[in-house]
Each structure stands twice: as C-alpha cells, then as structure tokens.
C-alpha cells in the first residue's frame, strides 16, 4: 500500500512543479504572441480600403482578423492549417490566399498602401534584401513584424 501512495505523491509533486513553471513563464511568453498590439497599430493608421496580409502561416497571428473585424489575406509558400482551404476554396476564399509573387506585387512602389505581418526572420530573409520594395517597418512585437509598402 505504501508504494501506490508514494507514486501518487510523486506524480502530484511533479504536476505541481510543472504547473508552477508554466505559470511563471506564461506572463512573459503570451503577451509576445498577442495580436491585439499589431491590430491596434493597423487600426490606428489604416485608411479605408487598405489591405492587410499575413505572410507565412496564420497560426502566429490567428487572432488578427478578429481584432481587425475582417478577414486578412494569407500569403507565402506554406499555409499550414489553411492549406486545404487554399487548395479547395469555397466562395470568396480564393481571394484570401496569395503565393509569394502575388503578394510581392502589393509591395512594388506605386501600389496602394498595404499592411503586412510576418515573423522577423522571414522579413530579414525575404523582404529586407530587396530595397526596391521601399518597405517601412511600423512595429515589432515579440518575433513578429508589422510593415507597410509605403
């Protein structure tokens, strides 16, 4: 009888340590994933008709459409959980997805202002090396970056 109780006590102690650790890390990690910060920046500066796109998977910015109160365009090479919707769109869903060349057309000088959200490393690799895009970084939040084409 002592062994099952000792095992249960050990399991309970390990669970308590794990939950305590998670509770200490969450306040630092979760705010960096919060899409409200980037959405607030867009809403404060965006003019009617200006488009918003997430470059890369939507997972890291999945709440952005909620805070903007409208859908966003998802662009890039990989669409993650939205891959099936991209490959078999219904209704107006086809206009919600762009490949890299499609989204780059939004970035060319002379195009209407558009807003882009992506991860810092994606920006550094795909967009920063191309000065002909004339991109302007608006805000960094966690590992994400908000930028415009003007």
């Amino acid at each position: 009888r002592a062994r099952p109780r000792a095992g249960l006590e050990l399991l309970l102690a390990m669970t308590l340590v794990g939950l305590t650790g998670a509770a200490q890390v969450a306040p630092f990690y979760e705010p960096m994933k919060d899409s409200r910060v980037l959405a607030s920046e867009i809403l404060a500066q965006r003019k009617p008709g200006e488009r918003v796109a997430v470059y890369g998977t939507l997972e890291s910015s999945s709440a952005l459409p909620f805070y903007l109160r409208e859908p966003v365009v998802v662009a890039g090479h990989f669409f993650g959980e939205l891959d099936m919707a991209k490959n078999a769109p219904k209704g107006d869903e086809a206009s919600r997805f762009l490949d890299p060349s499609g989204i780059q057309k939004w970035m060319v000088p002379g195009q209407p202002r558009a807003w882009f959200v992506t991860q810092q490393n994606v920006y550094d690799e795909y967009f920063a090396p191309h000065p002909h895009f004339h991109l302007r970084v608006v805000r960094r939040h966690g590992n994400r970056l908000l930028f415009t084409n003007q």
Side-chain angles (χ1 to χ4, degrees), residues 10-69:
L10 179 62
L11 180 62
L12 193 58
M14 289 173 40
T15 302
L16 184 61
V17 168
L19 290 174
T20 302
Q24 291 175 351
V25 171
F28 300 104
Y29 179 67
E30 283 303 316
M32 292 297 126
K33 291 176 48 181
D34 190 357
S35 292
R36 253 184 309 200
V37 174
L38 299 179
S40 296
E41 194 74 42
I42 293 168
L43 290 170
Q45 297 186 41
R46 183 178 171 208
K47 294 184 174 97
E50 293 180 344
R51 300 171 290 188
V52 179
V54 173
Y55 191 93
T57 60
L58 187 61
E59 285 96 349
S60 62
S61 301
S62 61
L64 195 60
F66 172 79
Y67 291 117
L68 293 175
R69 295 178 214 90

Side-chain angles (χ1 to χ4, degrees), residues 9-141:
E9 288 172 353
L10 179 62
L11 180 62
L12 193 58
M14 289 173 40
T15 302
L16 184 61
V17 168
L19 290 174
T20 302
Q24 291 175 351
V25 171
F28 300 104
Y29 179 67
E30 283 303 316
M32 292 297 126
K33 291 176 48 181
D34 190 357
S35 292
R36 253 184 309 200
V37 174
L38 299 179
S40 296
E41 194 74 42
I42 293 168
L43 290 170
Q45 297 186 41
R46 183 178 171 208
K47 294 184 174 97
E50 293 180 344
R51 300 171 290 188
V52 179
V54 173
Y55 191 93
T57 60
L58 187 61
E59 285 96 349
S60 62
S61 301
S62 61
L64 195 60
F66 172 79
Y67 291 117
L68 293 175
R69 295 178 214 90
E70 65 182 70
V72 298
V73 170
V74 181
H77 297 92
F78 178 70
F79 295 90
E81 64 191 22
L82 297 176
D83 203 40
M84 194 163 63
K86 180 196 179 293
N87 293 331
K90 295 180 181 176
D92 71 340
E93 289 176 354
S95 65
R96 303 277 177 229
F97 300 97
L98 286 174
D99 62 15
S101 63
I103 199 68
Q104 287 177 0
K105 290 176 184 173
W106 290 18
M107 297 178 187
V108 176
Q111 290 297 314
R113 183 165 72 167
W115 298 83
F116 306 91
V117 175
T118 194
Q119 294 190 4
Q120 178 74 51
N121 63 328
V122 172
Y123 180 84
D124 292 342
E125 184 177 342
Y126 290 105
F127 304 114
H130 302 285
H132 62 278
F133 284 146
H134 302 282
L135 304 176
R136 182 177 66 88
V137 173
V138 176
R139 177 89 189 244
R140 286 179 175 81
H141 184 68

